[in-house]
Amino acid sequence: MDMTAVTTLISTVGFPIACCCVMFYQNSQLQKTLSELTVTLEKMNERIGNIEDKVNETSGN
């Protein structure tokens, strides 16, 4: 969202409603980012587990 859109939103619907809309948008973007981060961390965890398994196989443990 650019500043012109925010200014228009505030002047049109009022400050409290505009703040709620902006916070809702921000929260939805944060949720999306956290979901992507969770997927990435799960993939990394799986790769580290695979590496540990290979190291244990080669060391004879």
Side-chain angles (χ1 to χ4, degrees):
M1 295 179 83
D2 62 339
M3 287 306 293
T4 307
V6 173
T7 305
T8 304
L9 185 65
I10 290 172
S11 64
T12 305
V13 296
F15 186 75
I17 295 173
C19 285
C20 288
C21 292
V22 170
M23 286 190 293
F24 179 78
Y25 173 77
Q26 184 180 14
N27 188 39
S28 66
Q29 293 300 313
L30 180 61
Q31 282 292 75
K32 178 181 173 187
T33 302
L34 288 174
S35 295
E36 292 170 358
L37 179 62
T38 301
V39 169
T40 302
L41 289 174
E42 288 172 351
K43 288 179 183 178
M44 288 177 62
N45 190 30
E46 184 178 327
R47 287 181 179 178
I48 290 171
N50 290 339
I51 291 170
E52 286 177 341
D53 292 342
K54 288 180 183 178
V55 167
N56 287 336
E57 288 175 5
T58 58
S59 66
N61 289 335

